[in-house]
Amino acid sequence: ARNLFIRGLEAVTDALAQGVMPPNEWQLHFVGSRVPSVELPGGIKPAIAQNLPWPEYAALIRSVDVGLSLVATPHPSYPPLDVAACGGIAVTNRFGPKHSLDRYSRNIICSELSRAGLVDGIAQAVELAADEPRRLENYREQRLLRSWEAALEPIIDELTSGR
């Protein structure tokens, strides 16, 4: 329930039905644990990836153009950050004070949690994914560091400077 799977399923179903994601242009993957097998409009059966070891999860995320990850908390959760860090466009939901994650990346879209709001977010993500120059510019300018060394260097410098 916390990960809002049913709401995500509704949004993907609506996006397919409305032509936001033409089935001949998109491969759908559902990732997580205890993910049920479903059939979406048009007889689409998403590939299911459950309990992936980290290297396999990372490889899959690096291949994603658009990722939908919902969570009923003000925390952004890690999958949207993972998708953006790997060059994809992430769609997540607004919740409490979480209205935008632009401070991390403009390749993360925060949408209202309504079905229509999420379909709109998916449509924005599909459009942005196809706009390679803007997508790449957002990726280059994002504030998600890709290495522990780069992320921790200022902290280690501060701790070892004797201040």
Side-chain angles (χ1 to χ4, degrees), residues 8-89:
L9 186 59
E10 293 169 338
V12 169
T13 298
D14 292 351
L16 287 166
Q18 294 173 28
V20 170
M21 299 182 310
N24 60 330
E25 297 177 20
W26 291 90
Q27 294 178 351
L28 300 179
H29 297 262
F30 287 5
V31 181
S33 61
R34 299 187 316 269
V35 179
S37 179
V38 298
E39 186 170 323
L40 300 170
I44 298 167
K45 294 182 180 179
I48 305 290
Q50 298 194 75
N51 304 315
L52 292 176
W54 184 251
E56 290 176 35
Y57 169 78
L60 178 61
I61 295 300
R62 284 192 296 272
S63 74
V64 167
D65 287 310
V66 173
L68 174 67
S69 177
L70 309 177
V71 65
T73 69
H75 182 277
S77 81
Y78 294 107
L81 302 175
D82 295 341
V83 169
C86 290
I89 311 302

Side-chain angles (χ1 to χ4, degrees), residues 10 18 32-33 42 49 55 58 80 84 87 91 107 117 120 127 137-138 142 152 156-157 161:
E10 293 169 338
Q18 294 173 28
S33 61
V91 178
N107 283 342
D120 182 58
E127 181 181 325
E137 179 183 341
N138 290 350
Q142 69 189 2
L152 295 175
I156 292 170
D157 288 348
S161 71

